[in-house]
Amino acid sequence: MKNVVLLQGPLGPFFSDLADCFLKKGIQAHRIHFNGGDAFYSHSGRRINYTGTPEEWRTFLTNYIIEHQIDTLFCYGDCRFYHKIAREICQQYQLSIWIFEEGYLRPDFITLEKEGTNANSAWFDNRENFAVLPKQPRQVKAIGPTFLARAIYATCYYNAMLFRQRQFPHYLHHRSHSVPGEAWAWIKSGWIKLTSQRRDKRLVENLQAHAGNLFLVPLQVADDFQVREHSPYHCIGAFIEELILSFARHAEPQHLLLFKHHPMDRGHVNYQALITKVSTQIGVTDRVFYGHELPLPTLYPLCRGVITINSTVGLSALRHNVPTLTLGEALYDIPDVTSQCSLDDFWKAPSPVDAEKVSQLRHFLLNTNQLNCSFYRTDAETYEQVWSWLQHHG
C-alpha cells in the first residue's frame, strides 16, 4: 500500500484516526466526503468533497484513482451505492478493496475482509468447504457497552449532515429516513432503552416457564442491506407476517414465538402494531411476543429454535447449540450448522447443531476476518491491530 482512499466509514472518528495511522506508516491517505457528517469526522490526510451526482460518481472515482495512483480502497459496508461502484472499479482495475463491517462474531469483534463481506465475501460460494484450521487459544478482550458512543456519534453526524446539506445537493443516503429524523431517532432510542427494561424483564421472567418451547426471532435493522439485497424480503414487515402465519399453521399449540427488536433500530421503527394486528387476525396473540431489552444468554436455554434472515445473532445461537434457520443469504448457512429445511418444517423438526463444526467455523472466522476491537471504543492498540492485520492478510 502506498496511496489509499477511505470512503464512508462507521459513524464517528474511526476512519479519520485510521487515516492518521496510515500517514504515520508513510502511506498517503485520501478521504472523500459525501456529506457534512463525513466531513465533520475527518481531520487527516488529503480531503476532498464529492458534490457530483450519483451518475457522475463512477467517472469521478475512476479518474481520481488514476490521477493519484491509488492502489487500495477502504469502506464500511459494501452495498451502499457509492461503495458498490467502488467495488466494481476495483475489480475492473485489479485494485485492493477492504470492507469493514460489524463483527460476524459479536459483541467484541469487527469484520475486516478483502473484496466483500457477507454474501459478497470471496469465500461465500464455497463456504461449505471452509478451511479447518488448527485451533490455538486466543485471548479475547471484552469491549464493553458502546451505545452511548454510537448515539453521540450519530447525533453529531446527522446534525452536521443537515447543517451542510446545501454543499452536497446530490448526496444519495443509504437510509430512507430524513436527516432530522435520524438525529431524533438516536435520541428517542435512548429513551426506549430505558423505558423498556422493566417490561421486558417481566416478559423474560414469564417465559421461563416455557423452556424448550420458545422460538426466537432476532429482527434486523429496517434498512439493513442484508435484508434489502441478500434476502427474498422487501422489508422486515413482510418477514414478520410470513413467520406469524407459518407459526400459526405449523407450530405446536404449546410453542411460543418471540420477536426481538434490533438495538440499533429502536428509535427508527416499531413493529408492535403489526405483530398485534397479524396475531389477532389469526388468533395467536397469546403465543406471540415482542420486546427490546431481551438478554440473549438468558433466552437461549429456553429456545427450541432461532429463525433469522441472516443476522449474526444466528452464529451466537449456534454456539449455544440452539437449532437455527436462516431465510436469507447467510454466511454461516452450512449443512450440519444451520437447519436446511423449510420454515414450515422447522417448527416441528429443527435440525440439531453439530457443535464441533460450529466451533471450527468460529475458529476459521476468528483467523480470517475478525478483529478483537470496536469502531466506537478505540485506542492506539485498535489501529495497530488493523495495521498488523492488513500486513498479515494483504
Side-chain angles (χ1 to χ4, degrees):
M1 288 190 302
K2 292 183 178 179
N3 298 288
V4 306
V5 165
L6 294 93
L7 302 178
Q8 285 189 312
L11 294 177
F14 182 85
F15 260 26
S16 194
D17 292 340
L18 182 60
D20 266 345
C21 173
F22 288 146
L23 291 169
K24 291 174 183 176
K25 303 294 183 181
I27 296 172
Q28 181 60 52
H30 300 247
R31 293 291 314 276
I32 297 180
H33 312 145
F34 299 90
N35 60 56
D38 295 337
F40 180 81
Y41 285 113
S42 181
H43 55 71
S44 297
R46 189 180 191 279
R47 290 164 285 168
I48 183 170
N49 295 338
Y50 178 69
T51 57
T53 66
E55 293 76 19
E56 296 167 328
W57 169 239
R58 184 184 296 273
T59 300
F60 172 87
L61 182 59
T62 300
N63 291 339
Y64 193 92
I65 287 171
I66 295 171
E67 179 184 352
H68 297 281
Q69 299 182 325
I70 302 300
D71 52 56
T72 308
L73 280 75
F74 292 87
C75 59
Y76 176 71
D78 55 20
C79 291
R80 298 180 185 187
F81 170 81
Y82 301 100
H83 296 172
K84 285 178 69 174
I85 299 298
R87 283 186 69 239
E88 293 171 7
I89 293 172
C90 286
Q91 291 168 354
Q92 179 182 353
Y93 290 93
Q94 297 183 321
L95 304 175
S96 295
I97 183 166
W98 288 90
I99 314 297
F100 285 94
E101 257 292 3
E102 300 291 346
Y104 294 146
L105 306 175
R106 300 183 194 176
D108 299 318
F109 295 90
I110 65 172
T111 297
L112 177 55
E113 199 165 357
K114 204 170 186 178
E115 297 183 31
T117 60
N118 293 291
N120 289 331
S121 172
W123 61 280
F124 180 83
D125 290 335
N126 196 36
R127 62 193 184 281
E128 294 182 19
N129 301 310
F130 65 86
V132 178
L133 304 176
K135 291 186 180 179
Q136 299 175 344
R138 179 175 175 181
Q139 188 173 1
V140 176
K141 178 179 69 175
I143 298 301
T146 61
F147 174 78
L148 182 59
R150 288 172 184 254
I152 292 172
Y153 290 158
T155 302
C156 293
Y157 181 92
Y158 286 110
N159 278 317
M161 186 173 159
L162 178 63
F163 183 73
R164 298 182 60 178
Q165 201 166 18
R166 290 185 179 181
Q167 293 179 252
F168 302 87
H170 306 295
Y171 173 58
L172 183 65
H173 194 45
H174 57 279
R175 299 201 71 165
S176 59
H177 304 281
S178 67
V179 176
E182 284 287 348
W184 172 243
W186 279 91
I187 296 171
K188 188 166 67 171
S189 179
W191 173 252
I192 294 172
K193 179 179 175 65
L194 290 174
T195 56
S196 298
Q197 289 176 350
R198 183 177 297 179
R199 180 188 66 243
D200 289 343
K201 182 180 179 181
R202 288 198 303 268
L203 172 59
V204 173
E205 289 172 351
N206 292 335
L207 292 173
Q208 298 290 332
H210 301 275
N213 287 311
L214 179 67
F215 285 94
L216 173 66
V217 182
L219 298 176
Q220 291 171 242
V221 172
D223 286 330
D224 193 335
F225 281 110
Q226 302 314 310
V227 177
R228 290 157 56 181
E229 299 209 7
H230 299 302
S231 89
Y233 303 99
H234 68 275
C235 67
I236 297 293
F239 169 66
I240 290 173
E241 288 191 49
E242 179 177 306
L243 256 67
I244 296 176
L245 289 171
S246 178
F247 173 78
R249 291 169 182 162
H250 299 282
E252 299 294 342
Q254 71 272 21
H255 292 160
L256 305 180
L257 181 62
L258 173 64
F259 291 95
K260 181 186 184 299
H261 198 87
H262 195 287
M264 293 298 107
D265 217 21
R266 291 188 199 95
H268 294 86
V269 64
N270 188 292
Y271 298 107
Q272 184 65 74
L274 173 64
I275 291 171
T276 300
K277 175 185 174 183
V278 178
S279 300
T280 301
Q281 287 174 345
I282 54 179
V284 290
T285 51
D286 58 333
R287 297 167 56 203
V288 179
F289 305 91
Y290 173 62
H292 289 78
E293 298 304 303
L294 304 172
L296 291 171
T298 303
L299 293 175
Y300 288 145
L302 311 179
C303 287
R304 177 175 173 81
V306 165
I307 303 168
T308 177
I309 296 177
N310 47 25
S311 169
T312 52
V313 171
L315 277 167
S316 172
L318 290 165
R319 284 195 71 202
H320 288 79
N321 293 314
V322 180
T324 300
L325 179 70
T326 63
L327 298 178
E329 296 177 306
L331 199 63
Y332 54 91
D333 186 16
I334 300 171
D336 298 323
V337 174
T338 56
S339 292
Q340 301 296 300
C341 61
S342 68
L343 173 62
D344 291 348
D345 291 337
F346 185 72
W347 308 109
K348 295 185 182 296
S351 300
V353 178
D354 184 333
E356 179 56 28
K357 194 161 186 177
V358 171
S359 177
Q360 291 171 350
L361 175 60
R362 184 175 188 275
H363 188 69
F364 171 78
L365 293 173
L366 282 172
N367 288 277
T368 306
N369 47 45
Q370 299 300 286
L371 280 69
N372 182 202
C373 54
S374 171
F375 299 125
Y376 312 104
R377 293 172 67 96
T378 57
D379 51 28
E381 181 185 340
T382 296
Y383 302 102
E384 284 301 318
Q385 187 178 163
V386 172
W387 173 254
S388 176
W389 189 270
L390 292 171
Q391 294 296 100
H392 183 70
H393 292 83

